[in-house]
Amino acid sequence: MAVAALFAMSAQSYAQSTGTTDAAPTSAAPATTPETAAEQKAEKKAAQKAANTEAAGKVEEKAAESGDTHGGTVTPTVTDAAAETVPAPAGPKAVTNVVDWFAKGQFAGDFRTIYFSTHNNFFSRTSQDTISYGGGLEYTTASLYGFSLGFSGYIQRGIDHNDNPAKVDSYLGPNLTAMGEAYVRWEGDGMTFTAGNQAIDVPFASTYDWRMAPQLFQGFTFKYGDADNYVEALKIFRFKSYIDDSFSEHTMYNVKEDPYSTIGDDTTDGFWGFGGQHKWKISPLLVTGQAWYFTYQDYADLAYFEGQVLDDAASWKPFIGAQYAHETGDGRELLGNVNSQVYGLQLGVKHNSLTATLGWDYIAPHSNSYLNGSLVTPYAHNVASGPLFAQPFLSSTQDLGSGNAYAIDVNGAPMAHWFVGARYSYMDLKSAPDTASIDQSEYLVYAIYNFDGKLKGLSIADFFAIQTQPGKPTFLQNRLQLEYAFGH
């Protein structure tokens, strides 16, 4: 409706501005009826609504960058609310010679300062205060016969870090000078083929861009279709985490990323997979479905399905989503036997920029399986992100055991440039059959502000979360980020 209102207002203005040129003689023209106060009020309200939803779209991307993407794959995107989502970036400019291929490329980047303040880190008696600065610089060539090149690099430096490593956040602490993306890409006829170091976005393996240097993947990806309807296949050989300077055959389960690792420095040949998404417009319903299959080599084989039905006939749009995951072991089974089934349900409603959801996931217990039946996710372990409907912010549901998980979430843009939200999650999960449920509750509030005008590109985001478990000290963390981005 926001887009429709903008289009209608633009068309009306255009007609009024050109009417004197093509109009019939004055004597034959009907008298213009002055707008009533009610009509003026309605137009003003529509214009304000359009401005607010457009601003919501701009800052909604920042919420996703925080790693706060829980259930994001089923967040409604409907035709009459298209301004509420961030549009896909335009492809590289087409050129006809090698000189212009490089000369007409585009730079983009960001500078960030991130501050994590933590009390009783993950229920220990250790507190941390860590502030670091850094960012990234990217360059993408123009397109020559469909081919383009992309490169990026990242740095991270600490500010007055504590000499005791236990009092420094493990992700913000290390000094990094990292090579990032380095790829060749061909695009044409709806197809995109990318080879090299790149960002990807598939369930349980995505480039979550919240810290200084994002997670990246080295390999081949192929995609055919558009943003709503596509098929995709990929083979990934190496991976670079938040704290790595380079790509390796490690995962988030290795000891460098997880100090409690049971597999030490064991490497694998990466993973491969395929899948896709399709949307059907069955008035008044919008139906979305996706299906994926992944082999995390020497870990597990995962099949994942997700669907959503949304009624977009009115301004308040109810929706329902469902998800299912099935996973078994693969190869050396580095984490041991894997047998996992996850069932999920999500109910929600969307109104303009406001989205409210109730999410539930059930992880079936298996006493002879990893963490009592948990999913094995080598590239989302301890990342606190993923498509499960019920996710806390400071930890990941799939890392906590089997049982029931619940989440209630409300977010939106109450005014231009703002995006705010709140979530409560409860994890009734057990990591072993003979242990008690962790009974974990988490309370999260967050706010993001994107500046405009002369300060366009500058944003500030703050996420504050509290986790509690019976018999353990309360875990609190505040994440504050100041960022200036350009060229995106």
Side-chain angles (χ1 to χ4, degrees):
M1 283 184 287
V3 173
L6 282 174
F7 181 82
M9 293 172 64
S10 300
Q12 182 183 47
S13 299
Y14 177 80
Q16 290 175 349
S17 64
T18 58
T20 54
T21 302
D22 299 326
T26 306
S27 58
T32 301
T33 303
E35 289 185 329
T36 65
E39 289 172 335
Q40 292 175 346
K41 183 177 180 180
E43 283 191 4
K44 185 176 180 180
K45 183 178 180 180
Q48 185 60 53
K49 176 183 173 183
N52 285 351
T53 53
E54 183 177 13
K58 292 178 181 178
V59 295
E60 200 165 25
E61 182 179 26
K62 187 60 59 183
E65 288 175 356
S66 73
D68 180 41
T69 56
H70 321 308
T73 50
V74 295
T75 298
T77 302
V78 293
T79 304
D80 64 355
E84 299 170 15
T85 62
V86 178
K93 181 179 180 180
V95 297
T96 57
N97 61 76
V98 174
V99 173
D100 286 345
W101 195 34
F102 289 96
K104 295 189 177 181
Q106 183 176 2
F107 283 95
D110 58 70
F111 176 82
R112 298 173 178 175
T113 298
I114 304 177
Y115 174 47
F116 279 20
S117 178
T118 306
H119 183 65
N120 293 329
N121 187 43
F122 291 101
F123 307 105
S124 70
R125 295 291 181 181
T126 302
S127 295
Q128 300 173 335
D129 282 289
T130 310
I131 183 169
S132 295
Y133 69 92
L137 181 64
E138 308 167 16
Y139 173 73
T140 306
T141 68
S143 176
L144 179 63
Y145 303 115
F147 288 94
S148 60
L149 305 175
F151 308 93
S152 65
Y154 302 90
I155 64 168
Q156 175 172 285
R157 296 292 184 270
I159 300 176
D160 195 27
H161 286 177
N162 196 296
D163 292 334
N164 182 355
K167 294 184 176 294
V168 179
D169 181 85
S170 60
Y171 286 119
L172 289 183
N175 286 339
L176 300 177
T177 303
M179 181 67 183
E181 292 173 295
Y183 62 79
V184 57
R185 175 173 293 158
W186 180 83
E187 297 178 77
D189 299 323
M191 295 181 287
T192 302
F193 177 80
T194 306
N197 304 345
Q198 58 189 287
I200 67 173
D201 184 17
V202 296
F204 302 107
S206 290
T207 300
Y208 307 118
D209 187 18
W210 165 248
R211 296 171 176 86
M212 302 297 181
Q215 297 190 145
L216 294 170
F217 301 80
Q218 184 182 94
F220 302 97
T221 61
F222 172 81
K223 189 173 184 177
Y224 175 72
D226 55 32
D228 291 334
N229 304 283
Y230 62 87
V231 292
E232 185 171 358
L234 65 165
K235 174 63 178 86
I236 300 301
F237 300 98
R238 291 175 176 83
F239 167 69
K240 189 195 78 62
S241 75
Y242 294 124
I243 59 175
D244 285 324
D245 289 309
S246 59
F247 292 77
S248 72
E249 295 178 328
H250 293 134
T251 72
M252 293 298 290
Y253 286 120
N254 284 112
V255 69
K256 182 178 179 181
E257 282 72 23
D258 180 0
Y260 302 100
S261 171
T262 61
I263 67 170
D265 206 38
D266 280 347
T267 60
T268 77
D269 292 329
F271 76 98
W272 60 271
F274 59 89
Q277 175 183 283
H278 192 76
K279 287 191 176 183
W280 297 266
K281 178 66 176 179
I282 309 173
S283 186
L285 303 178
L286 183 67
V287 181
T288 304
Q290 60 175 301
W292 297 89
Y293 179 84
F294 302 105
T295 289
Y296 305 120
Q297 292 174 262
D298 290 322
Y299 284 103
D301 297 322
L302 171 67
Y304 177 72
F305 306 91
E306 185 180 297
Q308 182 200 75
V309 179
L310 177 142
D311 182 355
D312 66 346
S315 60
W316 289 88
K317 306 178 192 308
F319 61 90
I320 182 171
Q323 61 187 180
Y324 172 70
H326 180 85
E327 191 173 45
T328 56
D330 178 81
R332 289 180 290 158
E333 296 186 326
L334 291 177
L335 296 178
N337 183 54
V338 177
N339 180 17
S340 181
Q341 296 85 45
V342 180
Y343 308 84
L345 182 67
Q346 186 182 63
L347 302 175
V349 63
K350 189 172 180 70
H351 177 66
N352 298 333
S353 71
L354 174 69
T355 302
T357 60
L358 173 62
W360 165 76
D361 281 296
Y362 175 68
I363 303 174
H366 293 289
S367 60
N368 64 340
S369 181
Y370 171 75
L371 284 186
N372 202 30
S374 288
L375 283 174
V376 170
T377 56
Y379 304 93
H381 173 60
N382 286 345
V383 174
S385 293
L388 294 187
F389 295 153
Q391 279 270 24
F393 182 68
L394 299 178
S395 51
S396 302
T397 303
Q398 66 268 22
D399 293 326
L400 300 175
S402 61
N404 292 286
Y406 309 89
I408 301 173
D409 189 281
V410 179
N411 62 64
M415 61 189 73
H417 311 300
W418 282 97
F419 191 86
V420 300
R423 180 188 305 135
Y424 170 75
S425 64
Y426 177 68
M427 303 290 110
D428 184 14
L429 303 174
K430 299 169 62 173
S431 60
D434 56 350
T435 61
S437 168
I438 63 173
D439 287 337
Q440 176 183 291
S441 290
E442 183 187 84
Y443 309 84
L444 168 71
V445 292
Y446 55 93
I448 303 163
Y449 185 82
N450 261 17
F451 292 84
D452 206 351
K454 294 182 179 180
L455 295 178
K456 186 176 182 179
L458 183 66
S459 65
I460 185 169
D462 192 80
F463 288 73
F464 177 71
I466 300 174
Q467 277 191 1
T468 63
Q469 288 187 19
K472 295 185 177 181
T474 300
F475 171 29
L476 297 86
Q477 187 174 81
N478 190 75
R479 301 181 180 183
L480 175 66
Q481 182 195 78
L482 181 67
E483 179 190 68
Y484 175 72
F486 63 92
H488 292 280

